Amino acid sequence: MSVISREHINKMNKRYRVQLINSLTGYKSANLVGTANTDTDTGVKNLNLAILSSCTHVGSDPPLLSFNFRPDKTPRQTFENIMSTGCFTINHVHKNFYEKAHLTSAKYPKNVSEFTEVGLEETFLENFYAPFVKNAEVQIAMKLIEHHHIKANGTEIVIGEVIFIKCADDLIQEDGSLNYEQLGTVALAGLDTYFTTTKLSKLPYAHAPAAGRKVPASPT
Amino acid sequence: MSVISREHINKMNKRYRVQLINSLTGYKSANLVGTANTDTDTGVKNLNLAILSSCTHVGSDPPLLSFNFRPDKTPRQTFENIMSTGCFTINHVHKNFYEKAHLTSAKYPKNVSEFTEVGLEETFLENFYAPFVKNAEVQIAMKLIEHHHIKANGTEIVIGEVIFIKCADDLIQEDGSLNYEQLGTVALAGLDTYFTTTKLSKLPYAHAPAAGRKVPASPT
């Protein structure tokens, strides 16, 4: 085991540091975020699709999820569309289309639809303005609730509220959790490495012998 | 495919909703967060260890990572220790001790060390105040940089800066990314389901044909 000092990190080649720091967190989610904007001159609705690895659970009642955006360094379309329209979609990425999903990270011009460019089909549900990914087994309609600006590096944290979920009944288990063994959703490590998974175990609530009460395994 | 409306979500049994919403994001990281506090009366240093699934990459230069805390609903020790001491550690959870790691989610009294209770060994590095998990192949020393209060449900987002990393040289690949095939780090879905992984592919930078330039797959 060797200790990598902060001084060493600061002196790393940029590309090397980006790969290292992005891979520190452990496994990440891979989600396609769908947004849209309507051109005020032409009335044309432009669709946008971007793969993001920063989706995080914030709360269950109300149901809240978050994403991080670096609007100062990366293409701004997804963040700008969310801020101007107040809505977006989250779509799981599965084994059968993860390579197409990864291609959405390329920098396309603002009026080009990543759906068309990478070969994924959009779909619209329940009159929701933002587009969903038809192939995704889990599609979530989200409403912008609040956002926070991280002073340290200009990252914006967007907090969204779940409006509805589209998912096959047989993918939801008796206790309410999604059946990840059936889903085929991929896991991501670092910037670019995709994984399938094998279940180890669904563990019971952890129980402190002294306290004698059950508590959930993570925040609700 | 069926649409689960927000009205339906609101009417769900609480436990069922918590399982469903916690499993929406896709795969999560599983990290043990180590903190400490020193009793002002006795001078005793109390250690705390908690499994968290919300670690997110915020930036690489400076190297920043974030966590979510629900201090109003869940045991406050980890969040309180971070706020009062300004430091914490992140430790990867591997296949050979994930069951012990999960047990840290139980509610132990404030002066009880989860290290002792679940059978994980603490270690101290480079005079850093917070404890590391000896068995973790990746150990990260973190300094509190800023925190954000989510108005919608009282969640606190803690942003930390990487101070140093302990990791074996042979776990770091040529491009700087950690070798997840060797690590044995587990992935988490929902509140309680742990997975091992199998690599599908490390994909190249996505490239938009029209723009003719390379961009990274996610924010740096």
Side-chain angles (χ1 to χ4, degrees):
Chain A
M1 296 279 263
S2 65
V3 170
I4 305 166
S5 69
R6 179 55 190 279
E7 197 186 348
H8 185 171
I9 295 169
N10 290 347
K11 286 180 181 164
M12 283 172 180
N13 164 283
K14 184 189 168 184
R15 181 68 46 214
Y16 187 95
R17 180 175 55 235
V18 165
Q19 286 280 356
L20 175 64
I21 305 302
N22 271 278
S23 66
L24 285 183
T25 57
Y27 286 100
K28 310 178 193 190
S29 57
N31 285 295
L32 283 165
V33 174
T35 59
N37 66 76
T38 301
D39 191 298
T40 47
D41 295 330
T42 63
V44 172
K45 186 172 177 178
N46 296 309
L47 305 186
N48 191 270
L49 191 65
I51 191 164
L52 291 178
S53 62
S54 58
C55 187
T56 311
H57 177 263
V58 173
S60 296
D61 187 18
L64 303 172
L65 306 173
S66 71
F67 279 101
N68 296 349
F69 293 91
R70 283 291 292 278
D72 54 335
K73 293 211 174 179
T74 54
R76 302 179 60 101
Q77 281 127 279
T78 299
F79 177 70
E80 281 178 358
N81 287 348
I82 292 173
M83 295 309 285
S84 65
T85 68
C87 69
F88 58 106
T89 71
I90 300 174
N91 308 269
H92 275 212
V93 174
H94 307 297
K95 202 165 47 178
N96 58 336
F97 65 85
Y98 78 98
E99 285 154 309
K100 290 180 178 176
H102 184 73
L103 292 176
T104 63
S105 59
K107 191 173 183 171
Y108 293 99
K110 199 171 176 177
N111 58 350
V112 166
S113 163
E114 286 82 4
F115 284 97
T116 312
E117 291 298 313
V118 309
L120 287 169
E121 198 178 342
E122 69 261 25
T123 186
F124 290 91
L125 297 170
E126 310 273 318
N127 294 317
F128 198 72
Y129 179 73
F132 297 85
V133 177
K134 199 171 181 179
N135 286 3
E137 296 288 346
V138 180
Q139 302 170 14
I140 311 168
M142 300 292 296
K143 178 183 162 191
L144 171 67
I145 290 295
E146 59 186 90
H147 75 108
H148 294 263
H149 179 80
I150 299 180
K151 292 182 284 292
N153 75 343
T155 292
E156 302 282 352
I157 303 175
V158 165
I159 317 290
E161 189 169 336
V162 175
I163 302 302
F164 63 82
I165 303 160
K166 191 177 180 193
C167 176
D169 293 335
D170 63 0
L171 289 171
I172 303 176
Q173 301 174 111
E174 222 171 278
D175 70 352
S177 61
L178 295 180
N179 188 335
Y180 274 78
E181 285 179 287
Q182 275 185 47
L183 269 175
T185 297
V186 295
L188 181 56
L191 288 165
D192 49 23
T193 311
Y194 293 82
F195 294 83
T196 56
T197 64
T198 306
K199 184 173 161 181
L200 282 164
S201 180
K202 185 172 170 73
L203 297 179
Y205 291 159
H207 181 268
R213 50 169 292 203
K214 292 178 174 185
V215 293
S218 69
T220 58
Chain B
M1 295 279 264
S2 66
V3 170
I4 305 167
S5 70
R6 180 56 190 278
E7 196 186 349
H8 185 170
I9 295 170
N10 290 347
K11 286 180 181 163
M12 284 172 178
N13 164 281
K14 183 189 167 185
R15 182 67 46 213
Y16 187 96
R17 180 175 56 234
V18 165
Q19 286 279 355
L20 175 64
I21 305 302
N22 271 279
S23 66
L24 285 183
T25 56
Y27 287 100
K28 309 178 194 190
S29 57
N31 285 295
L32 283 166
V33 175
T35 59
N37 66 76
T38 301
D39 190 300
T40 47
D41 293 330
T42 63
V44 172
K45 185 172 178 178
N46 296 309
L47 305 186
N48 192 270
L49 191 66
I51 190 164
L52 291 177
S53 62
S54 58
C55 188
T56 311
H57 177 263
V58 172
S60 296
D61 187 18
L64 303 173
L65 306 173
S66 71
F67 279 101
N68 296 348
F69 293 91
R70 285 291 293 278
D72 54 335
K73 293 209 173 181
T74 53
R76 301 179 61 103
Q77 281 127 280
T78 299
F79 177 69
E80 282 178 358
N81 287 349
I82 292 173
M83 296 308 286
S84 65
T85 67
C87 68
F88 58 105
T89 71
I90 300 174
N91 307 270
H92 276 211
V93 174
H94 308 296
K95 201 165 48 178
N96 59 336
F97 65 84
Y98 77 98
E99 286 155 307
K100 289 179 179 176
H102 185 73
L103 291 177
T104 62
S105 59
K107 189 175 185 170
Y108 293 98
K110 197 171 176 175
N111 58 350
V112 166
S113 162
E114 285 83 3
F115 284 97
T116 312
E117 291 298 312
V118 309
L120 288 169
E121 198 178 341
E122 69 262 24
T123 186
F124 291 90
L125 298 170
E126 310 274 317
N127 294 317
F128 197 72
Y129 179 73
F132 296 85
V133 177
K134 198 170 182 179
N135 286 2
E137 296 289 346
V138 180
Q139 301 170 15
I140 311 167
M142 300 292 296
K143 177 184 162 189
L144 171 68
I145 291 295
E146 57 187 268
H147 75 108
H148 294 263
H149 180 80
I150 299 181
K151 291 182 283 291
N153 75 344
T155 291
E156 302 282 353
I157 302 175
V158 165
I159 317 291
E161 189 170 337
V162 174
I163 302 302
F164 63 82
I165 302 161
K166 191 177 181 193
C167 176
D169 293 335
D170 64 359
L171 289 172
I172 303 177
Q173 301 175 110
E174 220 171 280
D175 70 351
S177 61
L178 295 180
N179 188 335
Y180 275 78
E181 286 178 286
Q182 274 185 47
L183 268 176
T185 296
V186 295
L188 181 57
L191 288 166
D192 49 24
T193 311
Y194 293 83
F195 294 82
T196 56
T197 65
T198 306
K199 184 174 163 181
L200 281 164
S201 181
K202 185 171 169 76
L203 296 180
Y205 290 161
H207 180 268
R213 52 171 290 202
K214 292 179 175 186
V215 292
S218 68
T220 58

